[in-house]
Amino acid sequence: MTHDPALRASDTDRDRVAAVLGEALATGRLTSVEHADRLEAAYTAKTVGELVPLTTDLPDVTASRPPETVEQQTIRSTFSKIIRKGRWVASRHTTLAVTFGAMIVDLSEAVLPGREVTLECAARFSKLIVRVPDNAHVIDEGGSTFGKRNVTGGSAGDGPLIRITGVSMFSKVIVSRGVTDWNLH
């Protein structure tokens, strides 16, 4: 990482800090709350100077080790109802797979790893609701077969880009910002 604190931070700089934070979490040097707080600060940092204090009390991770960022994860619900909200660490690519069930995923307080996140929505005979941050830019690249797909968002500011992909079948998929209908009957 460049040592000039006034320089703009790159995604590589942020990922390096995330690797140190991930190692600190894995070895018990940080609690999960401390890790989430610092990870959010790392991925929202604009300059190198904002990144430095996040790891000054932690040992460095060897250069050969890959970053500990969560690149992919799957949240799955089958014949069930799953709600993921509050403070949690999302990944760059998250698959939301729901079959004969219901799922609510609220990204408004989640720690997002970088400026772009892809949500692959795979709903079958189900209902899927996703709430995005108020300042997010949402792009819908998915489709629906025998169902309802309501993706609102467009461009709302300088927040993260959230790309919605995947195909839903016989399902209702709602992606919005603001107050979400948490009532899944």
Side-chain angles (χ1 to χ4, degrees):
M1 181 164 43
T2 308
H3 297 292
D4 183 355
L7 286 180
R8 301 284 291 188
S10 69
D11 284 342
T12 302
D13 294 332
R14 291 181 194 94
D15 286 344
R16 256 189 232 113
V17 169
V20 173
L21 297 174
E23 180 67 21
L25 175 66
T27 58
R29 287 187 170 91
L30 291 176
T31 66
S32 59
V33 172
E34 291 170 322
H35 176 259
D37 289 342
R38 290 186 189 198
L39 191 62
E40 179 179 28
Y43 281 118
T44 58
K46 295 195 183 335
T47 65
V48 172
E50 293 174 54
L51 293 172
V52 172
L54 300 175
T55 59
T56 55
D57 61 341
L58 300 172
D60 199 5
V61 175
T62 61
S64 64
R65 187 162 179 185
E68 292 288 328
T69 57
V70 181
E71 290 296 322
Q72 294 185 13
Q73 67 177 305
T74 300
I75 302 171
R76 187 175 314 279
S77 171
T78 305
F79 294 104
S80 306
K81 177 180 177 180
I82 291 183
I83 299 174
R84 175 78 54 100
K85 64 180 182 173
R87 193 137 167 96
W88 60 285
V89 180
S91 66
R92 292 183 195 268
H93 184 97
T94 300
T95 300
L96 305 175
V98 56
T99 305
F100 294 105
M103 183 181 295
I104 298 171
V105 176
D106 187 348
L107 296 173
S108 62
E109 295 179 37
V111 177
L112 302 178
R115 301 291 298 162
E116 184 173 334
V117 173
T118 299
L119 298 178
E120 182 177 345
C121 299
R124 307 288 184 261
F125 305 96
S126 302
K127 185 172 185 180
L128 172 61
I129 297 174
V130 178
R131 179 179 180 208
V132 299
D134 290 337
N135 65 344
H137 177 74
V138 180
I139 297 175
D140 184 15
E141 298 176 343
S144 178
T145 303
F146 296 109
K148 179 180 181 183
R149 186 177 181 95
N150 183 6
V151 178
T152 58
S155 180
D158 63 348
L161 170 65
I162 299 179
R163 193 175 301 278
I164 309 296
T165 65
V167 177
S168 60
M169 297 173 61
F170 301 98
S171 297
K172 184 176 188 179
V173 175
I174 300 169
V175 179
S176 64
R177 56 173 61 83
V179 177
T180 303
D181 176 15
W182 295 103
N183 198 5
L184 294 177
H185 296 296

